[in-house]
């Protein structure tokens, strides 16, 4: 499915020297987001920095949200993940889209200008209407959780 996403280019380099966010392949789920830094950033082990993507998005539909997720290569190979683990973008948010980059490794990591640091995934959202009940209908799991089904 497609969603028309309103985007403001806050950084004039986007779409010129640095490509606009795009899907790497037709089947990619995430739009790659780039680090719109003034200079390369050396992220020390254990440190976290808020990095501008150079854009603002307005999803504008309450039934859609954005999720910022790590890139698997950066996360697995270099320990570059997100300081908030997952970024959640509300459909009414219009401010600059920021990526919290956390170096969870024990090596410094250099983030280059325009480097693809994370990805934005649009997801459908259901809003809950709370229905207060005294008991639930029986389910197969009941209250069992946190390993209740065993490990094998
Ligand atoms: O990685 C992120 C996470 C959030 N945001 C923006 C969009 C989002 O809609 C807004 C608020 O995020 P969230 O609700 O997760 O943060 P909060 O700490 O609850 O702030 P608020 O009180 O503004 O809701 O911040 C980003 O730009 N990047
Ligand atoms: Mg919030």
């Amino acid at each position: 499915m497609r969603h028309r996403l309103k985007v403001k280019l806050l950084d004039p380099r986007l779409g010129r020297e640095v490509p606009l966010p795009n899907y790497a392949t037709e089947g990619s789920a995430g739009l790659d987001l780039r680090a719109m830094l003034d200079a390369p950033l050396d992220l020390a082990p254990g440190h976290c920095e808020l990095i501008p993507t150079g854009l603002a998005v307005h999803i504008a539909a309450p039934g859609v949200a954005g999720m910022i997720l790590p890139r698997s290569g950066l996360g697995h190979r270099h320990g570059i993940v997100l300081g908030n683990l997952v970024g959640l973008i509300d459909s009414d948010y219009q401010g600059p889209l920021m990526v919290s980059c956390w170096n969870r490794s024990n090596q410094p990591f250099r983030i280059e200008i325009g480097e693809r640091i994370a990805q934005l995934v649009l997801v459908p959202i259901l809003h809950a209407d709370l229905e207060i009940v005294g008991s639930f209908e029986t389910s197969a799991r009941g209250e069992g959780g946190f390993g209740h089904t065993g490990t094998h």
Side-chain angles (χ1 to χ4, degrees):
M1 278 199 326
R2 305 208 61 94
H3 178 76
R4 184 165 287 269
L5 182 63
K6 290 197 166 58
V7 176
K8 271 192 203 167
L9 303 183
L10 306 178
D11 190 310
R13 294 172 297 178
L14 271 177
R16 297 165 189 260
E17 299 116 82
V18 178
L20 289 173
N22 65 337
Y23 294 100
T25 66
E26 201 185 326
S28 293
L31 280 169
D32 283 330
L33 299 174
R34 293 176 182 270
M36 297 311 290
L37 297 161
D38 292 331
L41 176 73
D42 290 319
L43 199 54
H47 282 231
C48 193
E49 291 279 351
L50 207 51
I51 297 181
T53 62
L55 32 101
V57 299
H58 185 204
I59 297 173
V64 179
M67 292 179 87
I68 299 181
L69 301 176
R71 294 186 66 208
S72 54
L74 278 184
H76 180 70
R77 279 204 288 277
H78 303 288
I80 302 301
V81 293
L82 304 176
N84 46 357
L85 303 188
V86 173
L88 183 60
I89 312 304
D90 299 290
S91 70
D92 53 356
Y93 182 68
Q94 299 180 324
L97 197 62
M98 306 294 286
V99 175
S100 169
C101 265
W102 171 34
N103 182 355
R104 64 164 180 78
S105 79
N106 52 17
Q107 301 292 324
F109 184 81
R110 170 163 291 194
I111 301 175
E112 302 290 349
I113 297 170
E115 182 167 353
R116 293 177 294 151
I117 44 167
Q119 48 190 332
L120 176 70
V121 179
L122 294 184
V123 292
I125 292 297
L126 294 179
H127 281 142
D129 293 317
L130 299 191
E131 180 189 347
I132 312 296
V133 297
S135 58
F136 296 128
E137 283 165 31
T138 304
S139 77
R141 174 179 286 275
E143 295 184 3
F146 300 91
H148 181 80
T149 61
T151 50
H152 294 292

